[in-house]
Amino acid sequence: MTSVNTEARPGLFSKLVASGAHQKLLAFASLVILLVGFTLASPNFMQVSNIIAILQATSVNGVLAVAATLVIITGGIDLSVGTLMTFTAVMAGVVLTNLGLPLPLGVIAAIGAGAFCGFCSGSFVAKMKIPPFIATLGMMLILKGLSLVISGTRPIYFNDTPGFDLISNGSLIGMLIPSLPIPNGVLILFLVAGATAYILSRTVLGRYCFALGSNEESVRLSGVNTDWWKIAIYSLAGAIVGIGGLLIASRLNSAQPALGLGYELEAIAAVVIGGTSLSGGRGTILGTLIGALIMAVLINGLRILSVAQEWQTVVTGAIIILAVYADMVRRKKSA
Amino acid sequence: MTSVNTEARPGLFSKLVASGAHQKLLAFASLVILLVGFTLASPNFMQVSNIIAILQATSVNGVLAVAATLVIITGGIDLSVGTLMTFTAVMAGVVLTNLGLPLPLGVIAAIGAGAFCGFCSGSFVAKMKIPPFIATLGMMLILKGLSLVISGTRPIYFNDTPGFDLISNGSLIGMLIPSLPIPNGVLILFLVAGATAYILSRTVLGRYCFALGSNEESVRLSGVNTDWWKIAIYSLAGAIVGIGGLLIASRLNSAQPALGLGYELEAIAAVVIGGTSLSGGRGTILGTLIGALIMAVLINGLRILSVAQEWQTVVTGAIIILAVYADMVRRKKSA
Amino acid sequence: MKELVRMEGIEKRFPGVHALKNARFDLQSGEVHALMGENGAGKSTMMKILSGVYTRDGGTIEVDGRPVGFDGPGAAQDAGVGIIHQELSLMNDLTAAQNIFIGREPRRRFGRLDEAALNSQAADIFSQMNLDLDPRTPVHQMTIAKQQMVEIAKALSYRSHILVMDEPTAALNDAEIADLFTIIRTLRSEGAGIIYISHKMDELKQIADRVTIMRDGETVGTVPAADTPINEIIQMMVGRSLSDSALELADFEHDNVALEVNGLTRGHEIRDVSFKVHKGEILGFAGLMGAGRTEVARAIFGADPRDSGTLMIHGKQVDIKSPRDAVAAGIGYLSEDRKHFGLATGMDVRANIVMTNLKQFSSSLGVLDEAAMQATAQDYIERLGIRTPSDRQEVRLLSGGNQQKVVIAKWLLRDCEVLIFDEPTRGIDVGAKAEIYKLLIELAAQGRAIIVISSELPEVLRISHRVAVMCEGRLTGILDRQDATQESIMKLATLTMREPSTNKRAAQ
Amino acid sequence: QDKLYIPMISKGFQHQFWQAVKAGADQAAEEFGVEVTFEGPDSEAQVDRQIDMLAAALAKSPDAIGFAALDSQAAIPLLRKANEAGIPIVAFDSGVASDIPVSTATTDNSAAAALAADKMAEFIGGAGQVAVIAHDQTSSTGVDRRDGFVNRIADTYPDIEVVTIQYGAGDQLQSTEIAKSILTANPELKGIFGTNEGSAIGVVNGVRESGAKDIVIIGFDSGAAQKEAIRSGLMVGAITQNPVGIGYETVKAAVLTIKGESVPEVIDTGFYYYDANNIDDPEIAAVLYD
Ligand SMILES: Nc1ncnc2c1ncn2[C@@H]1O[C@H](COP(=O)(O)OP(=O)(O)OP(=O)(O)O)[C@@H](O)[C@H]1O
Ligand SMILES: Nc1ncnc2c1ncn2[C@@H]1O[C@H](COP(=O)(O)OP(=O)(O)OP(=O)(O)O)[C@@H](O)[C@H]1O
Ligand SMILES: O[C@@H]1[C@@H](O)[C@H](O)OC[C@H]1O
Ligand SMILES: [Mg+2]
Ligand SMILES: [Mg+2]
C-alpha cells in the first residue's frame, strides 16, 4: 500500500539534503568566514597560542551554553546559568577553603549544588507551573544574593587546595603532545559537550527533552511523567553548570561572588546562533559549540584588531544577527 | 435572530468570572499584600513622599514594560528596550545639547529614534525571519555601542535646555493640588499606559498584536500582511521606549551612555508578573503596570527596612517567583 | 454553467515525496465536486495549490477561464477562492467573531475597531448556519466541533464563488452536517462552485454532483455521483474492491468486568456517570457534540481532575491522578485532537510510535536501542499502512489520516487492557477505516476492553457490543447491540434528564 | 531610637574596595555609637538606580547621608531636597560638583593614576608600548584614572606609547581575556596598567595564562590576589587608596556635622604606591585589604 517514493530515487546530494547533514556542515560557514577574515586582517590572529586563548575563552561560556541547550530544547529557558555558575564556585570554595575538605568533595559540592538548584528551578517550572523565564529569573536573583551571603561578599581563594587551578589551566594534552598545550578547561568543555550530545541523541532523557519541547501535553497524555523528566533535565543542566563553576573558579583560582550576571544572555545567544530553536523541540550540541566559538572568535578577533571597544559591541551585535540570518537563509533553501 | 445565551442566564458573579474581571481585581492582591506588609513593618514606608518615590522609580521601568508588553503579546520578546532607552536619551542629548536645537525637536528625536530602531528590529524579525530573541539581542548590543560612540562615552548634560528636567521631575498635578506633588514622569507613565491599553483593545493594530501572538500562520493565511503589522508593532514599541529615554534623561538631567543593560530583564519580569504570557496571544497593560509596581514596591520596601543588599536580591527573586505562582493558582481556580 | 476552475498536469514534490503527479481537476459553477482518495493521495496538497498556500512545481491553473499563479492566500482570496483547511487554524486567544473577520474587521476612522458591527455580522453568519454560538466566545473555550463551525463561518464570510472544504465534517455530528449541507445547497443554487473533500462515503450521495478520485498523487478519474455505485468509487480509490461483509463480533465475557466506573462527576460536564466495560467487549459511546464523552474519557484517564467517582480495574479500585497512573493501571486513551494531544508533530514517526513505551527500548541506564525502535516502527507502518517516506519523516509532514494512524500505532504498541478510542477514524479513508474496525474487533477478541467514542452512528452501530449514550454530561442509557438503532440512540442522545434516579436505572 | 542613623549610598558594594570602605564606616559607627547602612548599585553605569537608593534613604529621614556620586549632576535635585530637610551630606570616594556636601572624603584619582604612569615609565625604562585595562568607560573614577595615566605619559614620556585602552567592567574574567588579546595583538608590549582590583587581577591572569615574559604590570587597589601577585613578583606594584579611611572619615565627618562641629571641606584620604618592598610596612599594610 505504501508506495511512496517508488519513482523518486534521490541522488547522493538530495539524500544529504534530506538527512540534514549538509546543514551541520554549512553551520560552520559563519565560523569559517570569521576565521579567514581575521586571519587576513591580522597576522597575530592565527597563532597556536591565540587559538588556544580563544578555546579557553570559550570553555566556560561553552559549558553554560551546553547546559542552556538542554533546557531550551524542552521549550524552556534558563536565565540562571550565570549566577548559578558563581554559586557553585562559591560552594566549592566553602567546602575546600572554609571547611578545608579534600578536592573531590569540592568537585562534588559544586556539581551537587548545581544539580540541586536545577532541581529547584525544574520543580518551579514543572510542579508550580511557573513559566521558565520567571522561575529561572527568580533563581538568578536568589543565587546572586546567596553567593554574596555565603561568601561574605568576599572572594574565596583556593590557595590551600593545591592542584585546584589545574582543573582548568593544566594541560593533560600538553603533557602528551608538548606542542599542543590545550588547557584542561577546553578538554572538559569537549567532554561535557560530547557526553551531553550522547545523552540527547541516545538516551531516554534526551528523547523526552525533545518530546517535551515538541508537544508536552501529548507526551503527558502518553502516560509519561513529564514533570519528573522535566525536573531531571533541569537538574542535569544545573549539574553541568556546576562544572562550569569549577572551571571558572579554577581559572581565577578563586570564587568571585559578584560574577556571572549577563553570562546567561551570552550562553543563550551561543545556543541560538548554533541553530537551536527557542520554541523548543530541536537543537544540537554541536551547533551550540559552534555558536559559542563564533562569539569567542568574534570578540577575540576584534580585540586583536584593536577595534575601539564601543565599536566591538556594535559589530558583535550586527554579526550575531547576520550569523542567524545566514542560517535562516540556508535552512529555507534546504527546506 | 441570533438567540445566543437564551438558556444560560448567569448570575452577576459568574458573569464577572466569565469576563475575567475578577482576575484583574485579584491581580492587585500581591501588590496589596506587599503594601500592607511594608506599612506594618516600617513607619517610614507609607508616606506621601515615599509613595511618590516608588511611583517615580516605577516610571521608567513601567514605560519600558509597556513597550515590552506589545512585543510579547505578538509572541516576540524585546531585549533591546534598555539600551534603546539609552540610545534615545543620547539622541535627545545630541539634538538639544550638541546641536542646541529647541526642546520639541529633542522630544521628536528621542521618539523618532526609538520608532526607527523598533522598525529595524521589526524588520529583522518579520522580513529576515530572525527570532525576536536574537534580533533584539543584536539590537541591544548595537545600540549599546552606538550610544557610547555617539556620546563620545561621556554623559551629555541638558543644562542648556531649561525645562528639560521638568519633563520628568516637574509636577503639573502638584501645581493644581499642592499636597499631591506627583511628578510628571509618573503622569506620563499613566498616559502612555492608557494610550497603549486603548490601542491594544480598540484598534486594528492591537487586534493584530493578539492575533499574531495567537497563531501567526492563520493570520497570514487570512491574507493579512503580517510582516507589515509586526514591523508596525515593533516600531510603536520603540517609540514608547523613546518616551522612556526622555523620562530617564530628564530625571538625571543627562543622557548616561552606559546605562540600560539589564533593564530589559526587569521590564520583561514586570510584564510576566503582570500576567502576560510569554508565548503570546494574551496580556494586559494594567497587569504590566501592576507588575512594575510590585517590583518597585518590593525594592523600595526592602531598602526602607534596611535589609542587607544581598538579601534584598534573594528576597526579590523569591517574591517574583511567588507572585507569579499566586497568579497561576488563582487562574487555575478560576478556570 | 460555466467553468470556474481548471487544473491540468499539476506537479508537486516535497523532500522525499512526489505528492502530485500530473494531477488534474475542474470545477463548474453551481456544482458540488467531491474530491476523494485515500489518506495521502494528495487531495489537500492539490487544494493548497489552488488556494495559494503552496506553489506548484508544474502544470497550469485557470480560474474563471484566466490562467493564474497565486503568490499567496491573499491573492487567491481576491480571485474568489476560499478554503476551509483540514487542520484547524484559528487564533485561539481571539473570539469567534474576531477570528472570522481577521484582516477585514469593520473599522472606524484612525484604525479604530467597530466591535459591535463585528459581533453582529458574525452573529448573522451564525444564524444563517443555524449555529448557536456567542460570537464573543474565545476559541480556546470551544470544542473542536464548534471551532470547525467557526472555520466554516469564516470561509462563508468571504462570499467566495469557489469554496474548498477540506474534510469540514470530520468533527461534526449528523445534525450539524445536515445544517452544513443546507448551506452548501444554498451556495450551489446561487451559482458558486464547491470542492468537497471527505472520507464519509455516505455524504457523497447526499451532496455531490461529480466525484474526482485521486490515488498516489494522480487523478484516477471523474464520475457523476448519482449513478456511480459507492463500491466503484472505493475501488477507484484503493485500486481493489473492499468486501462490505458485516463484521463478526466475538462474544465477550459477561462476568469479567475490566473497567467499572462509578459516580464519575466533574463540574457540569460530567454528572454522575457509571458504567462497566467487560473483557473482550467494545462499548460504543454516542452522543451529540458536547455531550461530555471526551470529558468522561479524559477524567478516567487522569488527564483532567475528577470531583468524585471511583474506578475499578478487574474489580480492584485504582486511584488514577495522572495519565501515567492510568497507563500504569492498563488504560490507554487516544485523544480526538491528534495535533494537540496525540502527537509530537515536530518529531519523526518512529519517535512518536515508541513514545508511550520508551522503557521497552532502553537499557537500564536509559540508553535507547534505535535498531529495535526502527524495527517496531517499521512493523506498524506496514501493519497499518502508514503512508510515509520513512520512519524518520516528521509527523507534521504526513497527511491527516496518516497522522491518525501513527497515534493508533503508538497505543497498540503500549498494549493496554482497557483502550479508549476517541473518534479513532476521524479523517481516515474508507480502506483504512475498515482495517481499523478489524483491528478493534481483533483487539477485543484478544481480551481487551475497548471504549469507542464516535460521532458517526453507523460506525458505532457496526462495531459495538453495546452502545452507551450521553446527553449533557449524563449517561442517558446503554443499549445492547440488538436494541441499538440510529433512532433509539438519537432518542437517548436528546433526552434531557431531570431525575438522577432515572439516570441510574438507565445506566444499569 | 536616639541612635543617629547615617545611610551610605555608594557606587557599588560587591567590589572588595567597597567592602573595605564599608568596614571603615562600620568601624566609625561602632566608635561613635551610630547606625550605618551601606548600599550601592551592581554596576557603575546604573546612575538612576543610585538615585532611587538615595530617594529611599531620604524617606527614612536619616540624620546625615554619606554619598559617592556616580554622576554628581544627576543627583543634585535630591541632594537639594536633603539640604532643605536639613540632612547634611558627606561625599566620599568621588566629589559632587556642588556646594551641598559639607565635606568630601576622597582620593585624587588623576594624581593617583599619574603616579602609576611614573612607575610604569620607571620600570619599562622610559620607552616602549604600554596598554591600559580600565574598569569603566564612563564613571568618574574610571575616566579619571585612565586620563590621569594617559595624560601623564603623553606629557612627560614622549617615547612611551599607549597602544590601546580597553574596558573590562572590573570583571576578572573579561579583563583576563582582554589582557590576553592585547598581548597577542601587540607582541612588543612592555607594560599594562589595570585601573582597579578586578582589572589588575585580570591583567595578572592574562599575562600568566599567555606565558608572556617581562611584562610590567602596575595595578590599583589591593585585595588578596593582588597582594599575592606583588609578593610573587608577577606584578611590579600598585597604587592603593585608603578605602577604610574613606569610610571611617565619612562617618566621622557626618557625626561631627550633626553635632554642630565644623569639618574640613575636603578630607584627602590619600593614595600610596606599594610594591614587594613596602607591602608589609605598617602604614601601607593599614590601608590594604584582603
Ligand atoms: N509540507 C509537506 N512536506 C512533505 N511532505 C508533505 C507535505 N505536505 C504533504 N506531504 C505529503 O504529500 C502527500 C499528500 O498529502 P495530502 O495532505 O495532500 O494528502 P490528503 O490526500 O489530503 O490525505 P488525507 O486524506 O489524509 O488528508 C502525503 O504523502 C504527505 O505526507
Ligand atoms: N476547553 C473547554 N473549555 C470550556 N468548555 C469545554 C472545553 N472542552 C469541552 N467543554 C465543554 O464540555 C462539555 C463536554 O464536551 P466534550 O468535548 O466532552 O463533548 P463530546 O461528547 O466529546 O463531544 P465532541 O463530539 O465535541 O467531542 C461541553 O459542554 C463542552 O462545551
Ligand atoms: O570607584 C571605585 C574605585 O575607587 C575603586 O578603585 O574601584 C571600584 C570603583 O567602583
Ligand atoms: Mg488532507
Ligand atoms: Mg469529543
Side-chain angles (χ1 to χ4, degrees):
Chain A
M1 245 192 113
T2 55
S3 67
V4 185
N5 251 351
T6 44
E7 174 245 32
R9 282 212 167 271
L12 180 65
F13 176 72
S14 47
K15 247 188 203 156
L16 270 175
V17 168
S19 74
H22 74 301
Q23 246 192 49
K24 282 171 200 161
L25 291 176
L26 276 168
F28 282 102
S30 307
L31 182 57
V32 171
I33 292 174
L34 282 178
L35 287 174
V36 171
F38 283 126
T39 306
L40 295 178
S42 164
N44 296 321
F45 181 78
M46 222 2 124
Q47 303 174 31
V48 174
S49 66
N50 193 45
I51 297 305
I52 288 178
I54 291 174
L55 287 173
Q56 193 161 22
T58 316
S59 62
V60 172
N61 185 36
V63 168
L64 299 189
V66 166
T69 309
L70 285 176
V71 172
I72 291 175
I73 290 177
T74 70
I77 196 155
D78 194 344
L79 296 177
S80 69
V81 290
T83 59
L84 175 55
M85 168 194 81
T86 301
F87 181 74
T88 59
V90 168
M91 292 311 286
V94 167
V95 167
L96 296 179
T97 302
N98 300 9
L99 303 180
L101 297 172
L103 184 57
L105 288 181
V107 173
I108 292 173
I111 297 178
F116 176 76
C117 294
F119 177 87
C120 292
S121 298
S123 305
F124 296 156
V125 173
K127 292 288 175 192
M128 291 164 68
K129 308 289 172 218
I130 297 173
F133 190 96
I134 286 295
T136 59
L137 178 73
M139 275 306 265
M140 157 177 143
L141 293 174
I142 292 175
L143 292 170
K144 179 184 162 204
L146 283 184
S147 300
L148 291 166
V149 170
I150 292 176
S151 66
T153 341
R154 257 185 305 276
I156 306 179
Y157 295 95
F158 292 97
N159 295 331
D160 308 336
T161 310
F164 187 77
D165 61 324
L166 296 182
I167 294 181
S168 175
N169 295 335
S171 176
L172 280 179
I173 298 182
M175 279 162 59
L176 300 173
I177 317 165
S179 60
L180 210 68
I182 292 181
N184 293 340
V186 178
L187 194 66
I188 292 177
L189 166 62
F190 284 112
L191 290 178
V192 167
T196 310
Y198 181 84
I199 290 176
L200 267 180
S201 62
R202 290 292 148 82
T203 70
V204 179
L205 189 85
R207 176 57 51 87
Y208 285 137
C209 219
F210 287 102
L212 287 173
S214 211
N215 185 347
E216 180 173 343
E217 188 57 14
S218 93
V219 180
R220 192 177 74 93
L221 290 181
S222 302
V224 176
N225 190 344
T226 45
D227 289 356
W228 193 93
W229 285 104
K230 209 185 262 180
I231 294 174
I233 294 164
Y234 276 82
S235 305
L236 174 62
I240 294 175
V241 172
I243 298 178
L246 285 170
L247 285 184
I248 198 166
S250 157
R251 191 147 176 229
L252 301 175
N253 204 21
S254 60
Q256 298 287 338
L259 216 72
L261 220 60
Y263 286 43
E264 66 287 343
L265 287 186
E266 243 169 87
I268 297 169
V271 175
V272 183
I273 292 175
T276 293
S277 150
L278 278 174
S279 40
R282 43 191 83 197
T284 61
I285 295 294
L286 181 60
T288 295
L289 275 188
I290 295 173
L293 277 170
I294 287 179
M295 308 245 317
V297 166
L298 188 59
I299 293 172
N300 175 285
L302 291 171
R303 280 188 189 139
I304 298 274
L305 293 181
S306 298
V307 172
Q309 195 151 356
E310 49 274 32
W311 282 110
Q312 284 181 20
T313 319
V314 175
V315 174
T316 309
I319 296 222
I320 288 179
I321 292 179
L322 281 179
V324 174
Y325 178 58
D327 199 48
M328 291 289 144
V329 173
R330 241 181 271 139
R331 280 190 215 199
K332 216 174 176 182
K333 274 206 188 132
S334 74
Chain B
M1 256 201 105
T2 54
S3 60
V4 185
N5 252 351
T6 44
E7 175 243 32
R9 278 208 172 274
L12 180 66
F13 177 73
S14 48
K15 246 188 204 158
L16 270 175
V17 168
S19 74
H22 74 300
Q23 246 193 50
K24 282 173 200 161
L25 290 176
L26 277 169
F28 282 103
S30 307
L31 182 57
V32 171
I33 292 174
L34 281 179
L35 286 173
V36 171
F38 283 127
T39 306
L40 295 178
S42 163
N44 293 323
F45 182 77
M46 222 1 124
Q47 306 172 36
V48 173
S49 67
N50 193 46
I51 296 306
I52 288 178
I54 292 174
L55 286 172
Q56 195 157 26
T58 315
S59 63
V60 173
N61 186 34
V63 168
L64 299 189
V66 166
T69 308
L70 284 175
V71 173
I72 291 174
I73 290 178
T74 69
I77 195 153
D78 194 344
L79 295 177
S80 69
V81 290
T83 59
L84 176 55
M85 168 192 81
T86 300
F87 181 73
T88 61
V90 168
M91 290 312 285
V94 167
V95 167
L96 296 179
T97 302
N98 300 7
L99 303 180
L101 297 173
L103 185 56
L105 289 181
V107 172
I108 291 173
I111 297 179
F116 176 75
C117 295
F119 176 86
C120 293
S121 298
S123 306
F124 295 156
V125 173
K127 291 289 175 192
M128 291 164 67
K129 308 288 171 220
I130 297 172
F133 191 95
I134 287 296
T136 59
L137 178 73
M139 276 305 266
M140 158 177 140
L141 294 174
I142 292 176
L143 293 170
K144 180 184 163 204
L146 283 184
S147 301
L148 289 166
V149 170
I150 293 175
S151 66
T153 70
R154 259 182 305 276
I156 305 179
Y157 295 96
F158 292 95
N159 295 331
D160 308 336
T161 311
F164 187 76
D165 61 325
L166 296 182
I167 294 181
S168 175
N169 295 334
S171 176
L172 280 178
I173 298 182
M175 279 162 61
L176 302 172
I177 317 167
S179 61
L180 210 69
I182 292 181
N184 292 340
V186 178
L187 193 67
I188 292 176
L189 165 62
F190 284 112
L191 289 178
V192 168
T196 310
Y198 182 87
I199 290 176
L200 267 180
S201 62
R202 292 291 150 80
T203 70
V204 181
L205 189 86
R207 172 62 41 83
Y208 290 144
C209 228
F210 288 102
L212 287 172
S214 259
N215 186 346
E216 180 172 342
E217 187 56 16
S218 137
V219 185
R220 199 178 67 83
L221 289 181
S222 304
V224 175
N225 189 341
T226 45
D227 289 356
W228 195 94
W229 285 104
K230 211 186 261 181
I231 294 174
I233 294 164
Y234 276 82
S235 304
L236 174 61
I240 295 176
V241 172
I243 298 178
L246 286 170
L247 285 184
I248 199 162
S250 158
R251 180 140 186 243
L252 303 175
N253 204 20
S254 59
Q256 299 284 341
L259 213 73
L261 221 62
Y263 289 40
E264 64 288 344
L265 288 186
E266 251 170 78
I268 297 169
V271 175
V272 182
I273 292 175
T276 294
S277 150
L278 278 174
S279 40
R282 33 189 100 187
T284 61
I285 295 294
L286 181 59
T288 295
L289 274 188
I290 294 174
L293 277 170
I294 286 179
M295 308 241 320
V297 165
L298 188 59
I299 292 171
N300 175 284
L302 292 172
R303 279 187 191 140
I304 296 279
L305 292 182
S306 300
V307 171
Q309 197 158 351
E310 48 275 35
W311 282 110
Q312 284 181 23
T313 319
V314 175
V315 174
T316 309
I319 297 223
I320 287 178
I321 293 180
L322 281 178
V324 174
Y325 179 58
D327 200 48
M328 291 287 142
V329 173
R330 240 182 271 139
R331 280 189 215 200
K332 218 177 175 179
K333 273 206 187 129
S334 73
Chain C
M1 260 228 215
K2 75 181 169 73
E3 188 172 83
L4 300 179
V5 175
R6 172 160 296 275
M7 303 173 78
E8 292 284 357
I10 305 295
E11 290 285 326
K12 183 71 188 174
R13 286 170 192 275
F14 297 109
V17 181
H18 195 168
L20 294 176
K21 308 167 195 164
N22 193 19
R24 55 148 202 87
F25 185 81
D26 72 291
L27 178 70
Q28 308 293 319
S29 75
E31 78 160 341
V32 175
H33 192 158
L35 188 55
M36 308 289 290
E38 288 178 286
N39 296 132
K43 306 178 294 293
S44 298
T45 306
M46 188 84 168
M47 290 304 111
K48 283 181 182 166
I49 286 174
L50 175 61
S51 59
V53 177
Y54 289 158
T55 50
R56 59 184 186 271
D57 295 339
T60 57
I61 304 177
E62 285 172 23
V63 169
D64 294 324
R66 272 192 309 273
V68 292
F70 302 132
D71 54 4
Q77 266 160 26
D78 293 343
V81 179
I83 182 165
I84 301 167
H85 288 288
Q86 179 175 10
E87 301 295 334
L88 287 169
S89 104
L90 294 170
M91 290 145 285
N92 279 326
D93 302 300
L94 268 53
T95 67
Q98 292 169 351
N99 263 281
I100 291 172
F101 289 103
I102 190 75
R104 299 168 299 147
E105 33 289 281
R107 305 179 189 191
R108 301 196 215 144
R109 265 192 300 169
F110 309 119
R112 283 177 309 142
L113 295 163
D114 187 346
E115 260 337 64
L118 180 86
N119 286 322
S120 79
Q121 287 177 24
D124 283 348
I125 298 176
F126 291 162
S127 72
Q128 277 169 36
M129 295 169 63
N130 207 4
L131 174 63
D132 179 20
L133 179 67
D134 186 337
R136 292 163 303 186
T137 314
V139 166
H140 64 85
Q141 288 177 9
M142 299 176 193
T143 57
I144 298 232
K146 284 257 162 66
Q147 293 182 9
Q148 181 67 63
M149 295 306 272
V150 172
E151 287 270 26
I152 293 170
K154 180 173 170 185
L156 291 178
S157 74
Y158 281 100
R159 310 206 165 280
S160 317
H161 68 295
I162 299 162
L163 184 54
V164 181
M165 297 186 168
D166 196 348
E167 301 196 31
T169 55
L172 302 186
N173 67 21
D174 290 346
E176 291 151 349
I177 292 174
D179 287 339
L180 177 66
F181 283 178
T182 312
I183 298 166
I184 292 178
R185 288 193 189 101
T186 314
L187 292 173
R188 173 170 62 185
S189 68
E190 288 165 357
I194 287 116
I195 304 171
Y196 188 88
I197 301 177
S198 175
H199 288 295
K200 299 182 180 174
M201 305 304 293
D202 54 324
E203 290 174 0
L204 282 189
K205 296 283 177 193
Q206 295 179 48
I207 196 74
D209 300 304
R210 287 194 297 162
V211 184
T212 288
I213 294 103
M214 294 186 70
R215 185 166 72 229
D216 284 339
E218 286 170 285
T219 305
V220 179
T222 301
V223 294
D227 29 274
T228 313
I230 291 288
N231 271 340
E232 197 179 316
I233 293 176
I234 293 177
Q235 183 158 8
M236 290 171 83
M237 281 168 60
V238 300
R240 65 195 152 88
S241 63
L242 294 175
S243 67
D244 196 24
S245 59
L247 294 157
E248 285 288 326
L249 290 186
D251 236 5
F252 63 90
E253 304 174 26
H254 288 265
D255 45 359
N256 196 344
V257 177
L259 169 70
E260 180 170 353
V261 177
N262 268 309
L264 189 69
T265 300
R266 189 176 102 85
H268 292 294
E269 280 84 28
I270 311 170
R271 308 186 208 182
D272 191 22
V273 168
S274 307
F275 66 90
K276 295 173 188 161
V277 207
H278 302 83
K279 203 164 179 261
E281 179 189 25
I282 299 179
L283 176 66
F285 258 75
L288 299 180
M289 169 183 90
R293 297 160 299 167
T294 297
E295 303 279 321
V296 167
R298 286 179 58 95
I300 292 173
F301 190 59
D304 294 327
R306 305 184 290 274
D307 294 345
S308 62
T310 56
L311 302 174
M312 298 217 268
I313 300 247
H314 292 307
K316 267 207 304 247
Q317 185 155 340
V318 287
D319 183 22
I320 291 175
K321 291 207 191 66
S322 67
R324 192 171 76 100
D325 297 341
V327 172
I331 306 177
Y333 169 65
L334 279 85
S335 161
E336 62 182 334
D337 183 351
R338 59 175 173 261
K339 196 164 148 196
H340 291 109
F341 301 136
L343 294 164
T345 51
M347 300 181 84
D348 59 24
V349 173
R350 185 194 296 176
N352 272 283
I353 289 179
V354 299
M355 187 72 78
T356 45
N357 226 5
L358 275 192
K359 243 191 215 134
Q360 183 189 317
F361 296 100
S362 57
S363 71
S364 53
L365 284 175
V367 176
L368 293 168
D369 181 351
E370 281 296 339
M373 292 192 292
Q374 175 177 22
T376 304
Q378 214 57 56
D379 180 34
Y380 280 99
I381 287 172
E382 261 151 48
R383 269 170 67 189
L384 300 182
I386 301 172
R387 193 159 294 219
T388 173
S390 87
D391 65 333
R392 303 313 302 263
Q393 183 81 339
E394 282 181 33
V395 169
R396 75 188 163 91
L397 301 178
L398 298 192
S399 77
N402 283 303
Q403 293 184 6
Q404 183 71 23
K405 291 184 192 171
V406 174
V407 188
I408 293 176
K410 117 181 184 181
W411 284 105
L412 288 183
L413 172 61
R414 179 68 210 203
D415 196 16
C416 295
E417 290 185 37
V418 178
L419 277 168
I420 309 173
F421 289 82
D422 197 351
E423 311 285 1
T425 61
R426 177 169 289 175
I428 293 226
D429 66 52
V430 270
K433 231 180 222 175
E435 285 167 50
I436 288 174
Y437 295 156
K438 264 206 318 234
L439 214 119
L440 291 174
I441 290 166
E442 242 175 70
L443 287 170
Q446 287 165 17
R448 291 185 190 76
I450 291 180
I451 296 173
V452 176
I453 301 172
S454 171
S455 299
E456 285 182 57
L457 285 184
E459 176 168 298
V460 176
L461 290 170
R462 265 185 99 183
I463 59 170
S464 309
H465 288 99
R466 293 186 302 151
V467 180
V469 188
M470 288 192 68
C471 176
E472 293 179 3
R474 290 179 213 279
L475 193 63
T476 47
I478 298 183
L479 299 164
D480 280 336
R481 186 171 176 80
Q482 57 271 22
D483 306 330
T485 59
Q486 302 239 6
E487 294 70 37
S488 60
I489 290 176
M490 280 320 287
K491 207 172 137 210
L492 286 172
T494 50
L495 184 67
T496 310
M497 305 285 290
R498 301 275 170 236
E499 303 299 335
S501 53
T502 351
N503 181 23
K504 286 235 175 66
R505 195 159 13 95
Q508 288 311 303
Chain D
Q1 194 60 39
D2 334 326
K3 236 185 180 185
L4 295 176
Y5 173 51
I6 305 169
M8 309 246 311
I9 306 301
S10 133
K11 292 162 132 182
F13 82 108
Q14 300 168 347
H15 278 107
Q16 287 320 289
F17 175 81
W18 294 117
Q19 288 295 316
V21 173
K22 181 174 184 293
D26 288 343
Q27 197 182 311
E30 183 134 332
E31 197 174 315
F32 299 106
V34 298
E35 190 196 339
V36 165
T37 54
F38 194 94
E39 214 179 359
D42 284 343
S43 100
E44 297 202 3
Q46 298 178 330
V47 180
D48 61 322
R49 294 300 141 92
Q50 195 187 38
I51 303 286
D52 286 337
M53 290 176 178
L54 193 55
L58 276 174
K60 293 192 269 191
S61 1
D63 300 286
I65 293 178
F67 183 56
L70 282 174
D71 183 296
S72 56
Q73 291 206 30
I76 284 179
L78 275 179
L79 293 181
R80 239 180 244 139
K81 245 197 197 159
N83 205 21
E84 283 158 18
I87 302 169
I89 305 283
V90 179
F92 65 96
D93 185 69
S94 24
V96 174
S98 145
D99 49 10
I100 294 174
V102 291
S103 179
T104 302
T106 179
T107 307
D108 183 342
N109 279 303
S110 327
L115 176 57
D118 291 336
K119 291 292 173 187
M120 178 68 82
E122 183 184 327
F123 286 106
I124 65 171
Q129 298 181 339
V130 298
V132 177
I133 296 181
H135 64 281
D136 203 278
Q137 198 167 5
T138 56
S139 80
S140 62
T141 51
V143 170
D144 287 354
R145 282 177 210 165
R146 174 195 68 195
D147 294 349
F149 183 89
V150 172
N151 292 342
R152 173 63 62 94
I153 297 277
D155 296 346
T156 320
Y157 307 103
D159 296 335
I160 300 181
E161 183 196 358
V162 179
V163 283
T164 183
I165 302 167
Q166 306 225 9
Y167 306 87
D171 176 310
Q172 291 191 10
L173 192 59
Q174 210 178 320
S175 305
T176 303
E177 307 294 3
I178 291 176
K180 284 168 80 173
S181 346
I182 290 179
L183 289 168
T184 305
N186 304 283
E188 303 295 313
L189 201 75
K190 287 197 166 161
I192 307 180
F193 172 45
T195 65
N196 81 345
E197 186 187 335
S199 316
I201 295 169
V203 175
V204 170
N205 287 341
V207 170
R208 192 190 320 108
E209 285 186 7
S210 71
K213 292 277 171 294
D214 303 325
I215 300 290
V216 173
I217 306 173
I218 306 283
F220 207 103
D221 291 336
S222 49
Q226 204 166 175
K227 282 155 74 176
E228 168 63 28
I230 288 176
R231 286 210 168 87
S232 73
L234 212 55
M235 181 183 275
V236 170
I239 308 292
T240 180
Q241 316 174 65
N242 180 2
V244 180
I246 291 178
Y248 181 90
E249 293 295 341
T250 305
V251 173
K252 184 175 166 194
V255 172
L256 291 179
T257 311
I258 297 166
K259 291 196 175 141
E261 291 172 38
S262 77
V263 290
E265 209 166 294
V266 176
I267 307 166
D268 187 348
T269 46
F271 56 85
Y272 311 86
Y273 175 76
Y274 69 106
D275 56 19
N277 298 322
N278 69 351
I279 190 164
D280 293 317
D281 290 359
E283 75 268 25
I284 294 292
V287 295
L288 298 182
Y289 56 88
D290 275 328

